[in-house]
Amino acid sequence: MDKHTQTELEAAAFRALVAHLDARKDVQNIDLMNLAGFCRNCLSKWYLAAAQEQGVALDYDQAREQVYGMPYEEWKDKYQPAATAEQLAAFAKK
């Protein structure tokens, strides 16, 4: 497989992951962290790092908006309840 095709496939997989996470707003970041060791914020940081490696001017809020589909604070207000004691305890064990 040539590099261009690999990049296109990786980009498609990223878009599918972001779309999947968007469709599963019921799955909270703390749950993702507890189960998989990464969350939407991690994905945003990886996106930002990739932009910086390519010399693309982007800040963390803009990277988050790419992953969340809206400004992070808006997403948080609409979809993120306070973490439960159980979620926080599980996170503290990690």
Side-chain angles (χ1 to χ4, degrees):
M1 171 184 335
D2 64 63
K3 191 69 171 165
H4 176 75
T5 300
Q6 180 181 351
T7 299
E8 291 297 317
L9 295 174
E10 290 167 351
F14 172 80
R15 289 189 297 272
L17 175 59
V18 169
H20 180 75
L21 291 173
D22 187 53
R24 293 298 314 266
K25 291 178 178 79
D26 60 308
V27 179
Q28 297 300 305
N29 282 334
I30 195 165
D31 295 324
L32 289 168
M33 287 298 294
N34 288 339
L35 293 171
F38 82 98
C39 69
R40 292 170 182 90
N41 290 325
C42 298
L43 196 55
S44 300
K45 289 174 185 175
W46 300 334
Y47 189 89
L48 176 60
Q52 290 171 339
E53 286 177 13
Q54 296 294 319
V56 175
L58 191 74
D59 65 29
Y60 185 47
D61 289 333
Q62 291 169 318
R64 276 181 164 178
E65 194 164 335
Q66 290 297 312
V67 171
Y68 285 91
M70 63 185 70
Y72 175 66
E73 291 302 321
E74 181 182 340
W75 191 92
K76 214 166 81 166
D77 290 342
K78 286 183 175 183
Y79 304 110
Q80 184 173 309
T84 66
E86 294 81 14
Q87 288 170 319
L88 291 171
F91 185 74
K93 287 182 183 177
K94 303 266 176 208

